[in-house]
Amino acid sequence: MATWVKAQVVGKQHWTARLVSLQFEAEIHPFRAGQFLRCGMDIDGERVGRPYSLINTPDTQPHEIYFNVVEDGLLTPHLASLEAGDEFWVYDGCNGFMVLEELPAAPELWMLATGTGIGPFIAILKTDKLWQQFEQVVLVHAVSNADELTYRELINDTSQHHPEAFHYVPFVSREKVSNTIHGRIPDAVNNGQLESAARLSINAECSHVMLCGNAGMIKDASELLEQKGMTRHRRSAPGHITIEKYY
């Protein structure tokens, strides 16, 4: 049974006016890269909590979450206002199956994200296990505007360290930007543009696909992947598509 424990803010980064990374220290149980942690604050006499993926790996500190500040949201404006030394609450245990240990064997891993859904994939990118487990790794990040393509320093470093194995495909939907795909992930899956950009083929024989982010993207992309003969991955029935449910 998870228990609320105190977390103390040690750092914060505003990527844009709405996108924030919060670094903090807290005593939590061991976790796996890609899992999420419930964070909360006491607001108007009520503890409001939401799940956020941890950006850091299990062997690194401080802990880090990445979130979008929702206007008039119950929690995110308050989290974004915290400064170093301030405290909030977190569960002492993490959850989630968006982890490498849950994936079946496959040569290629596709990680498809919209917005802050890139969070668990950033944590996974930092692990050595990823490169031991997969021969080819594709990170797809879809956003509305180019300044929302965050964690680029880490992504660029990954490209330099794994130039033959790592493929980064950014999408921008509201403006045309060089070296990005203009539009939505499902459309690019459907017309082959994504595979062309990654120089790899998505198929049931070689690929495993992880999806995180906008519910519409997940639904539409999953349906298109199923048309390629791919199935939802479950422990009881190994498949090709991993989707996280946050609760």
Side-chain angles (χ1 to χ4, degrees), residues 134-174:
F134 294 95
E135 299 172 12
Q136 298 289 317
V137 175
V138 182
L139 174 65
V140 179
H141 190 201
V143 298
S144 296
N145 300 297
D147 61 355
E148 298 167 346
L149 292 170
T150 51
Y151 290 94
R152 292 299 295 271
E153 183 176 353
L154 170 69
I155 291 168
N156 290 338
D157 286 346
T158 303
S159 294
Q160 292 178 10
H161 284 93
H162 304 277
E164 302 300 324
F166 180 60
H167 312 265
Y168 173 58
V169 185
F171 281 66
V172 180
S173 62
R174 293 184 181 173

Side-chain angles (χ1 to χ4, degrees), residues 122-219:
I122 293 298
I124 290 170
L125 276 184
K126 298 176 182 179
T127 67
D128 293 333
K129 181 175 175 58
L130 173 65
W131 310 104
Q132 297 164 0
Q133 189 168 339
F134 294 95
E135 299 172 12
Q136 298 289 317
V137 175
V138 182
L139 174 65
V140 179
H141 190 201
V143 298
S144 296
N145 300 297
D147 61 355
E148 298 167 346
L149 292 170
T150 51
Y151 290 94
R152 292 299 295 271
E153 183 176 353
L154 170 69
I155 291 168
N156 290 338
D157 286 346
T158 303
S159 294
Q160 292 178 10
H161 284 93
H162 304 277
E164 302 300 324
F166 180 60
H167 312 265
Y168 173 58
V169 185
F171 281 66
V172 180
S173 62
R174 293 184 181 173
E175 54 183 328
K176 292 189 176 181
V177 182
S178 60
N179 299 316
T180 71
I181 295 178
H182 180 65
R184 298 177 65 244
I185 291 174
D187 294 336
V189 172
N190 189 41
N191 62 25
Q193 192 174 13
L194 176 55
E195 292 168 296
S196 177
R199 301 185 300 280
L200 291 171
S201 174
I202 303 176
N203 59 75
E205 289 72 34
C206 298
S207 310
H208 192 90
V209 182
M210 304 173 80
L211 304 169
C212 189
N214 178 271
M217 181 278 289
I218 292 175
K219 176 180 178 295

Side-chain angles (χ1 to χ4, degrees), residues 6-27:
K6 285 286 184 67
Q8 185 175 66
V9 177
V10 297
K12 181 171 65 173
Q13 179 171 353
H14 278 276
W15 300 93
T16 69
R18 296 186 304 107
L19 295 174
V20 179
S21 292
L22 197 66
Q23 296 86 38
F24 61 94
E25 294 178 344
E27 294 294 329

